Amino acid sequence: MKKSIQALMMAAAMLAGSMVFTSCEEILGEWSRPAPNPVTPTPTPEPDPTLMLKTPLTLEAAMAGAKVTFKADKANVAKDIEYSTDGGATWTSGNTGGSGVEVTLANIGDKVMFRGDNSQYGKDNGNNNPPSYNTISCTADCYVYGNIMSLIDKTGFATNKVLPKGTNTFYYLFKDNTCLKNHPNAAYTLELPATTLKEYCYRSMFFGCAALVTPPALPATKLENSCYNAMFFGCAALVTPPALPATELKNNCYQSMFDNCTSLETTPRLPATELKKGCYYSMFEDCTSLKEAWVKANVKVGAPDNECDNMFEDCPNASTSQFHTGDSKANWTAAFPNLSQWQFSAYE
């Protein structure tokens, strides 16, 4: 009996051991582990290409304590405007007369937006009187971006491409603002989307803005008298110009547009073939870094219309520079001997 009990205990132990080392597959048959649920990555949203068109004109502090002032130099051009320091959630009414609208941006990244319903911010008082104008200035470095049309159409600016009746729309607006800079994020651009322009609309708008590197796009194909006159005069940091697709020119439309842009390395393509009085007058004068030029029209200098007078005056005479034109080298170098070493080719 005792031996029988021992035998049973040994058999039970052997059976238990075999169960310990038997896999689930052996007990339950073949099976497959269920596949994990696939993880769908969150897509990166595409940038909104219309974001800047929908953003009012904005100045953002690149240095703490920058003070932004929107001010008229004479009472006869003082304007009612609105400004916001909370991203457009609330707006405060102001007037550019007297001491103007002054906003201190205490911290880097603080910003102020401007909007209004004014047809023009400048006034040409005639040959014997200095002009009157509004300017936006900064006491320290500020980035500028958003849609300039918010200053003339505070509610419909995002889609407005027509400058209102009258002249001098943004005359001198940022003149001599040496603290005005492009935003380091290339998506934050300054927008000048108007395709219907008015006389003197952008005249001297960025005159002397020495820190501006990238200009706004200028999409208009039909120009008006003096519309771009001296627009970027003295923008010493400007390297590449905006495209200028216009084929219908008007008197003095490009006069002195890039005069004294000492870092400018190339001209925009100038596709017009029918020139107007003074249209290219001094356009690239004193552009001492110029290496390439594109002018489709035939050169014209001297009386009576001065279309190309001083256009390339005091530009460098370098054998590595390229000139693309519909005219001949002989005609251009007769007008501008300082281009005699340039390499000329057809405008294509």
Side-chain angles (χ1 to χ4, degrees), residues 272-273 275 280 295-300 308 325-328 331-332:
T273 55
L275 303 186
Y280 291 153
V295 189
K296 191 169 186 178
N298 293 341
V299 60
K300 294 182 180 180
C308 301
T325 181
D327 203 354
S328 68
N331 288 341
W332 277 105

Side-chain angles (χ1 to χ4, degrees), residues 69-93:
T69 304
F70 198 163
K71 185 178 182 297
D73 77 319
K74 294 183 178 69
N76 68 326
V77 287
K79 303 296 180 184
D80 290 326
I81 61 167
E82 295 178 351
Y83 62 96
S84 174
T85 56
D86 57 8
T90 59
W91 292 88
T92 302
S93 297

Side-chain angles (χ1 to χ4, degrees), residues 271-329:
T273 55
E274 183 179 350
L275 303 186
K276 299 294 182 180
K277 181 178 179 180
C279 59
Y280 291 153
Y281 188 97
S282 294
M283 189 175 183
F284 303 105
E285 185 173 356
D286 289 314
C287 288
T288 53
S289 297
L290 202 65
K291 299 175 182 177
E292 188 171 32
W294 297 81
V295 189
K296 191 169 186 178
N298 293 341
V299 60
K300 294 182 180 180
V301 295
D305 288 333
N306 308 309
E307 292 97 330
C308 301
D309 281 17
N310 300 323
M311 186 178 185
F312 292 100
E313 198 72 23
D314 295 323
C315 291
N317 193 0
S319 60
T320 56
S321 298
Q322 300 289 323
F323 201 112
H324 313 276
T325 181
D327 203 354
S328 68
K329 178 176 181 176

Side-chain angles (χ1 to χ4, degrees), residues 124-142:
D124 189 338
N125 295 318
N127 293 331
N128 298 321
N129 296 290
S132 304
Y133 51 89
N134 286 263
T135 53
I136 298 175
S137 62
C138 311
T139 58
D141 287 355
C142 286

Side-chain angles (χ1 to χ4, degrees), residues 144-163:
V144 61
Y145 54 91
N147 191 341
I148 197 74
M149 301 294 276
S150 69
L151 296 185
I152 62 171
D153 182 0
K154 69 180 183 181
T155 56
F157 67 89
T159 57
N160 193 341
K161 296 184 179 182
V162 178
L163 294 183

Side-chain angles (χ1 to χ4, degrees), residues 96-220:
T96 62
S99 59
V101 172
E102 296 181 352
V103 178
T104 298
L105 305 176
N107 305 300
I108 293 175
D110 286 354
K111 55 183 72 74
V112 57
M113 295 175 166
F114 292 110
R115 69 183 189 182
D117 279 323
N118 300 296
S119 63
Q120 61 185 45
Y121 287 85
K123 180 178 176 60
D124 189 338
N125 295 318
N127 293 331
N128 298 321
N129 296 290
S132 304
Y133 51 89
N134 286 263
T135 53
I136 298 175
S137 62
C138 311
T139 58
D141 287 355
C142 286
Y143 304 129
V144 61
Y145 54 91
N147 191 341
I148 197 74
M149 301 294 276
S150 69
L151 296 185
I152 62 171
D153 182 0
K154 69 180 183 181
T155 56
F157 67 89
T159 57
N160 193 341
K161 296 184 179 182
V162 178
L163 294 183
K165 292 181 179 180
T167 61
N168 310 293
T169 316
F170 299 120
Y171 195 86
Y172 282 31
L173 187 64
F174 297 107
K175 185 177 184 291
D176 293 326
N177 188 340
T178 57
C179 296
L180 199 71
K181 304 182 76 173
N182 301 103
H183 198 283
N185 184 338
Y188 284 67
T189 54
L190 177 62
E191 298 291 328
L192 276 64
T195 53
T196 299
L197 307 183
K198 295 294 184 289
E199 292 185 358
Y200 302 96
C201 57
Y202 298 138
R203 182 176 178 181
S204 300
M205 186 176 181
F206 300 99
F207 187 109
C209 291
L212 198 70
V213 174
T214 304
L218 299 172

